[in-house]
Each structure stands twice: as C-alpha cells, then as structure tokens.
Amino acid sequence: MSNKIYLFRLRNLGLPAIESIEELANETRLSLGKVKYLSFRSERLYKVYDVPKKTGKKREISQPNRELKALQAWVLRNILDKLSSSEHSKGFDKGTSILDNASPHVGANYILTMDLENFFPNVKASHVYNIFHSVGYNQKVSAIFTNICTFKGGLPQGAPTSPKLANLVCAKLDSRLHGYAGPKGIVYTRYADDLTLSAQTPQKIYKAKQFIGTIISDEGFSLNKEKTKISGTQRQKKVTGLIVSENNLGIGRKKYREIRSKIHYLFEGKSTEYDHVNGLMAFTYSVDRKAYKRIHTYINKLKSIYPQSEAFKKLAPEIESK
C-alpha cells in the first residue's frame, strides 16, 4: 500500500498522520531521544507487583513509569479513543457501563456467564500491531506503537492503553460469538473479560456452553472454568455484579441491606467510612435509582432518630449533588 493511501486512511479516521519516529516525537512534543528510549527500552520501564484477588489468588500488575504512562495516555487519547469497539463490548469505552452490559439480558430465563483467564496478557503483541497497521500506520510506526503499549509480549495490566486495545483486539471474538449466538436467539455481551449469554430455554444455553469454548480457544483466549456459571429460573441471576430479574435489574437486596447497615453505623458513630459509603451511594445512583431513593429516605429517617449525628451533613452533599 502506498504512503498516500496510508495517510488518507489515517486522516479520514481523524488520526495523527505519522510516518516516522521523528514525526511521532514532533506530535507528542518530546525529544527524539526520549521517544526512542520509551519505545525501544520500554521493557525496562515497568514496576511489577502482585495484588490479591477476592478468590485468594494474585493478579500481576505491570505499572509503567511516569513518562511511559504519559506517552501511552497520548496514544489512547489521540488514536485509540477515536476507534470504535465492537457493539457487543460494554466496558472500557466512554459511555459504557455495567448497566449497559446487564440490560440486554433482562427477562431472560437462563444466563451463562464466563470469564476469560489472564485477559490482558493473552492479548498478544502481534494482535496489537495489527490494530495500528490496519488503521493505516506503516510497519515501522505500528511497531513503535506496539512497543510502547505492550510488555513481555502482551498487554500490561496497569497501562492506560490496555483496556481499549483489548476491546479492539476482541472485535473478531465478539463477531464470531455473536455470529453463533444471534441466529439462535441468544443475546451476547462482553464487559472486559466477562462474557454473558442469555436465552429463554436451557437447551440453547447448554449447547452454547459446549460450543463457544472452541471459538474462544481459537481466538487465543482461555476460559476460567471456575467462573463459568449457568443461572436458571430457580437461581438468582447476576451479570457483572447486578441482579437481573424478569423485568428489572439493580443492586439486589443483599447489596441494599449492606449499604443500609453501613449508613446506620455512620449515624451511630461506630464507623467513619464516609468516602466508602458515598462511593457505594454514587454507584447505586448510577445503576439503580429505585434503590437509591430508598436509601435517601432511610437516611432522612435516621436523621430524626440521631439528630446530633454528623453523618447526615457528611452524606448530604453527595445526595443533594444527584
């Protein structure tokens, strides 16, 4: 493909028309030496450490240093965020949320939830290269962007570019899974590494469970079998943390009671976790307005029971701002 065609494609997408590392340095307002260092020595610029998961296992975090992270943020802002992810991807993109991921499954009798194991590291550098090359960057520039955005041959958990790149790479996976599910009346969505399929009959879901693992494997991913779950008519259905029912979705009774309990402790003076509770309330407001209004009413009730408590004043700004 000629340089003119490359440049036309880039400009048509609203992307910076970069043909060399010198032009990248100019666009980012960094010295040529700095860009070369951040690209060709990127493997040395990460701090690697583990954080515990709820399951007791550990997740490896690869944190880029300040300068590399700033360059990655430039790539995200000026290139990646201008590219569209799959319509079935409901996370890691502006304007998407767990609510968008759960909503399509409201009313389903059976839900299959699956989890992709080691999601970011399994997105290979070669796939990242193909993303940059496919939108119009030449081989050299695509390789430079790949160096900047990958670590040890995959996406680093800790880089700002990793979530969006993972979504873009998974466009083919999403297309193939929907290609199987859609014609059979099965709804498919993906939120990061969480896959959800729903249908009205158990036969469709059980057949899907047997088949789609082949597609996932063929795309270079593997399933966390411990997190594969089918929820039917006799079991509470949960999608990315939200409870899905026949005609509604929200935080569920258990989470609602947990938030009420934490608020009660604040009014009694047994807790000072105001930031945590305000965060829970903000989350509830974003995904479940009915539960939020009930919490608001409960706080007003506690105000009359504990008139001397400072809790209402510290919670009220969060409430009133909504």
Side-chain angles (χ1 to χ4, degrees):
M1 186 181 294
S2 70
N3 288 345
K4 289 184 178 181
I5 295 176
Y6 274 124
L7 294 175
F8 176 80
R9 179 181 291 181
L10 291 169
R11 288 168 180 152
N12 193 46
L13 291 171
L15 304 178
I18 296 169
E19 294 186 275
S20 66
I21 195 168
E22 289 82 7
E23 291 182 4
L24 175 59
N26 183 58
E27 286 281 345
T28 58
R29 298 182 181 180
L30 296 173
S31 69
L32 178 58
K34 178 64 69 176
V35 173
K36 286 182 176 180
Y37 174 73
L38 295 176
S39 173
F40 303 137
R41 297 290 183 269
S42 61
E43 292 283 326
R44 303 179 183 179
L45 305 179
Y46 287 85
K47 178 183 178 182
V48 180
Y49 57 93
D50 293 328
V51 295
K53 295 182 180 180
K54 292 181 180 180
T55 59
K57 296 181 179 180
K58 294 180 179 180
R59 174 182 286 110
E60 183 178 276
I61 302 297
S62 302
Q63 186 71 40
N65 73 4
R66 183 179 57 83
E67 292 181 321
L68 178 58
K69 188 174 183 178
L71 182 54
Q72 291 169 341
W74 184 93
V75 173
L76 176 64
R77 184 173 60 254
N78 291 279
I79 299 174
L80 301 177
D81 275 346
K82 296 181 179 181
L83 304 177
S84 298
S85 302
S86 157
E87 62 178 307
H88 307 290
S89 173
K90 306 298 181 180
F92 291 159
D93 277 292
K94 293 178 181 178
T96 60
S97 69
I98 60 172
L99 192 64
D100 298 311
N101 187 58
S103 296
H105 304 285
V106 170
N109 290 328
Y110 293 86
I111 293 180
L112 168 64
T113 54
M114 312 175 91
D115 179 84
L116 298 177
E117 200 162 27
N118 297 322
F119 184 47
F120 285 165
N122 278 333
V123 177
K124 302 306 179 186
S126 58
H127 296 149
V128 173
Y129 172 90
N130 288 338
I131 293 295
F132 289 110
H133 194 52
S134 67
V135 298
Y137 288 106
N138 62 35
Q139 293 180 356
K140 289 183 179 180
V141 173
S142 296
I144 291 168
F145 282 138
T146 301
N147 289 343
I148 291 168
C149 297
T150 60
F151 178 60
K152 294 183 178 178
L155 291 179
Q157 179 110 22
T161 44
S162 292
K164 180 67 179 194
L165 278 168
N167 271 352
L168 293 171
V169 169
C170 282
K172 185 181 176 184
L173 172 67
D174 291 339
S175 178
R176 292 185 67 184
L177 290 179
H178 175 69
Y180 167 82
K184 294 175 173 57
I186 302 172
V187 176
Y188 164 71
T189 62
R190 178 179 58 79
Y191 187 92
D193 55 354
D194 292 319
L195 313 179
T196 306
L197 296 97
S198 63
Q200 300 306 321
T201 65
Q203 293 85 358
K204 290 182 179 180
I205 288 298
Y206 280 101
K207 286 182 179 179
K209 179 176 179 289
Q210 294 173 356
F211 182 77
I212 65 175
T214 304
I215 297 175
I216 291 168
S217 177
D218 192 47
E219 289 298 319
F221 295 99
S222 57
L223 285 172
N224 183 340
K225 295 182 180 179
E226 294 178 3
K227 291 188 177 182
T228 298
K229 184 185 299 183
I230 294 178
S231 302
T233 54
Q234 304 300 316
R235 186 175 182 178
Q236 186 184 67
K237 294 183 276 293
K238 183 182 289 189
V239 178
T240 44
L242 297 179
I243 307 303
V244 178
S245 63
E246 183 177 349
N247 53 18
N248 195 22
L249 77 158
I251 62 173
R253 282 179 289 183
K254 183 178 179 181
K255 177 61 71 174
Y256 172 75
R257 289 170 181 165
E258 176 191 331
I259 296 172
R260 272 182 52 130
S261 177
K262 289 179 182 293
I263 291 171
H264 200 167
Y265 281 137
L266 290 175
F267 273 90
E268 288 183 323
K270 295 180 180 179
S271 169
T272 58
E273 294 184 323
Y274 289 102
D275 289 343
H276 176 61
V277 173
N278 277 328
L280 288 173
M281 290 168 57
F283 168 75
T284 303
Y285 180 84
S286 69
V287 299
D288 191 341
R289 297 293 176 89
K290 289 183 180 179
Y292 180 83
K293 289 179 180 178
R294 290 166 63 199
I295 292 171
H296 192 180
T297 301
Y298 180 64
I299 290 175
N300 285 326
K301 178 182 176 182
L302 290 177
K303 182 188 177 184
S304 63
I305 298 174
Y306 301 95
Q308 304 303 317
S309 175
E310 293 291 314
F312 183 79
K313 294 180 181 179
K314 294 183 178 181
L315 291 174
E318 182 70 28
I319 297 170
E320 293 171 356
S321 68
K322 302 300 182 184

